[in-house]
Amino acid sequence: MAMNGTNDTPGAADADCGHSIEELQEYLETGESPASAHIDTCPECQSGLAALRRLRALTGDLISADVEEAEKEELPWLDGLMNNLRLETRAGRRIPLSTEDELDSLFITEGAVTALVRAVGDTMEGVLIGKCRIQGDVDAVGSEITLDIEIAAFFGYPLLPMAEELRREVRGVLALQTELLVGDINIRIVKIHEHEIQQGGSS
Amino acid sequence: MDNGVQRQPEASGGSVPRDVVGDAVPSESTMAPPTGATAGCHPRRSGSGRTSDGDARAQRQSRAGMLEAAEDAFLVDRAVDGDVAAFEVLVRRYAPLMRAYARRVTGSASDADDVLQEAFTQAWRQLADLNDGSVVKSWLMKITGHRSIDLLRRRREYVPVDESYDLADVAPGPEYAAAASSQMAALRHALDRMPEGQRQCWLLKEMGAQSYDEIAAQLGISSATVRGRLARARTTLMKEMEEWR
């Protein structure tokens, strides 16, 4: 098998047959090599490949052991970190609210609306709210908007009643808390979780 | 006003509601509740009014359990929308792997935890740029690698180069050492003694799963140098290991 000299490996300990560790590693990772015909029959390359396989397996073991070790300790900074992140809000667009005085300017943020939608979903069993998008011209007071909501459902909860319930609840909460004129609420089920969930309390 | 249920224009004569266009809708037979649950979706909040404290607590726990079952991409979507709770599930899910990685690269348990906090803060800010939420794990690992190398660089400005950082504070206890194979001990030992440049290349490649070009850019060296260092690192590790066979 002819080898061109373009993939020299500086500093690599080449086997006597002229093939480098790097070539063997690439063959191991991709299953392909310009020199595969040679490698498949060369005893030296075969023993090099075997050693690289052992190294790879051992590396996997080392990482697993490291992760196991890392899992044993708590994350003492977790609460502080999360509190800091909470301050970095994702506000999104401003949705104006009507005011009695023209000089006032009141608004609710898009982020606050999607948080409301999530809060509604989180009070229902068997459903998790995912991505939530408000479509439409939110800047114009009184213009109709569309809500696109992605949800994950959990196994055992009938989907249609769940979606209807969710629509009803979302519509109710948004009517109570915002001035949005909510048109369509499109619900897209992106995932069904098959296992049951451990409930935190009795229901 | 019952426009609560919008249906898709009938596509092919069927009456598939718009709701169920997901990728994993079970067939009719599997949609029945498993344990004789009644129809409906059991809203916890009954029409009567507010929830009690106990209900609220149970609800929070139940939600946490549900989030833990959710897939990465789903949690990323929620986090991009501003949900810190979803992001926290991702943090808990990947902190051990990231910590293990940062410990190997920085050689210090406390530095590694600094790296993690920086990495998660950066991730939270840049999460919206992540086009595909399902790759969040490798994305987080990449950030961890970057932050670890940055920290080493910063530290080098204040600390004499020849002051070595040993792994004493992350060394496993005796019970662990006894269970580990002598080959793994040899690998640890060989890694610790390896020239730092080689070790960094090897860790970024093997633990961080980064490409030659990414490693080169991160370390400020050429791709050819990365290749050379990786080849030398592998040769050294293979030799050390073979001695223990």
Side-chain angles (χ1 to χ4, degrees), chain A residues 7-21:
Chain A
N7 48 359
D8 286 343
T9 310
D14 291 4
D16 290 342
C17 64
H19 290 278
S20 66
I21 293 288

Side-chain angles (χ1 to χ4, degrees), chain A residues 65-85:
Chain A
D66 280 354
V67 170
E68 210 172 290
E69 199 65 26
E71 262 170 351
K72 284 183 188 162
E73 283 165 53
E74 303 282 304
L75 305 169
W77 37 262
L78 185 67
D79 287 345
L81 176 71
M82 289 303 141
N83 284 334
N84 284 339
L85 298 188

Side-chain angles (χ1 to χ4, degrees), chain B residues 106-151:
Chain B
T106 64
S108 148
S110 62
D111 282 348
D113 272 34
D114 288 348
V115 163
L116 256 60
Q117 292 175 73
E118 288 179 13
F120 283 126
T121 304
Q122 181 183 343
W124 173 256
R125 289 173 185 158
Q126 296 177 354
L127 207 56
D129 303 335
L130 186 64
N131 290 322
D132 178 4
S134 65
V135 300
V136 69
K137 175 182 170 185
S138 59
W139 184 71
L140 285 171
M141 286 297 274
K142 201 173 288 184
I143 294 176
T144 306
H146 261 276
R147 288 286 174 174
S148 300
I149 297 290
D150 280 354
L151 184 137

Side-chain angles (χ1 to χ4, degrees), chain A residues 120-138:
Chain A
V120 169
D122 288 345
T123 61
M124 288 170 55
E125 278 187 41
V127 59
L128 266 183
I129 307 285
K131 190 191 288 179
C132 178
R133 290 287 171 273
I134 304 171
Q135 312 286 359
D137 186 9
V138 296

Side-chain angles (χ1 to χ4, degrees), chain A residues 22 54 65-66 70 74 77 88 90 122 127 129 132-133 155 160 167 169 186 189-193, chain B residues 4 18-19 22-24 30 45 63 66 69 71 78-81 99 104 113 124-125 176 227 242:
Chain A
E22 193 192 3
R54 282 192 294 275
D66 280 354
E74 303 282 304
W77 37 262
E88 298 186 14
R90 306 195 194 289
D122 288 345
V127 59
I129 307 285
C132 178
R133 290 287 171 273
F155 180 81
L160 274 182
R167 283 206 185 88
E169 294 277 330
N186 299 321
I189 299 169
V190 295
K191 172 77 185 174
I192 307 271
H193 287 284
Chain B
R18 183 182 290 194
D19 316 347
D23 48 14
T30 61
R45 224 174 24 182
R63 184 187 55 179
M66 286 162 80
E71 289 173 351
R78 263 183 87 120
V80 168
D81 279 358
R99 183 187 252 167
R104 283 271 156 224
D113 272 34
W124 173 256
R125 289 173 185 158
Y176 174 78
R227 285 173 187 276
E242 297 308 298

Side-chain angles (χ1 to χ4, degrees), chain A:
Chain A
M1 175 93 214
M3 284 290 305
N4 57 28
T6 53
N7 48 359
D8 286 343
T9 310
D14 291 4
D16 290 342
C17 64
H19 290 278
S20 66
I21 293 288
E22 193 192 3
E23 277 181 276
L24 295 178
Q25 178 70 23
E26 240 166 67
Y27 188 40
L28 187 65
E29 284 173 10
T30 65
E32 289 170 15
S33 167
S36 59
H38 164 86
I39 294 171
D40 287 345
T41 55
C42 170
E44 265 190 71
C45 286
Q46 285 301 307
S47 102
L49 268 182
L52 282 172
R53 272 196 206 97
R54 282 192 294 275
L55 178 58
R56 184 167 70 176
L58 198 57
T59 302
D61 291 347
L62 178 70
I63 293 172
S64 303
D66 280 354
V67 170
E68 210 172 290
E69 199 65 26
E71 262 170 351
K72 284 183 188 162
E73 283 165 53
E74 303 282 304
L75 305 169
W77 37 262
L78 185 67
D79 287 345
L81 176 71
M82 289 303 141
N83 284 334
N84 284 339
L85 298 188
R86 215 166 266 123
L87 297 176
E88 298 186 14
T89 53
R90 306 195 194 289
R93 293 177 287 179
R94 291 175 165 203
I95 302 168
L97 297 170
S98 58
T99 59
E100 289 182 7
D101 187 331
E102 281 181 12
L103 292 175
D104 287 346
S105 107
L106 282 178
F107 60 87
I108 179 171
T109 64
E110 200 170 8
V113 174
T114 57
L116 269 178
V117 172
R118 278 196 305 275
V120 169
D122 288 345
T123 61
M124 288 170 55
E125 278 187 41
V127 59
L128 266 183
I129 307 285
K131 190 191 288 179
C132 178
R133 290 287 171 273
I134 304 171
Q135 312 286 359
D137 186 9
V138 296
D139 290 336
V141 180
S143 84
E144 192 176 275
I145 58 103
T146 300
L147 268 185
D148 291 336
I149 305 174
E150 291 186 353
I151 67 168
F154 285 79
F155 180 81
Y157 296 93
L159 299 177
L160 274 182
M162 173 191 283
E164 283 167 24
E165 172 81 26
L166 181 60
R167 283 206 185 88
R168 209 165 36 244
E169 294 277 330
V170 166
R171 208 175 279 284
V173 166
L174 291 184
L176 185 70
Q177 309 256 6
T178 76
E179 295 175 0
L180 286 170
L181 193 58
V182 181
D184 288 356
I185 298 180
N186 299 321
I187 295 176
R188 184 163 174 268
I189 299 169
V190 295
K191 172 77 185 174
I192 307 271
H193 287 284
E194 289 182 14
H195 42 281
E196 284 186 77
I197 296 303
Q198 297 287 325
Q199 293 293 346
S202 59
S203 56

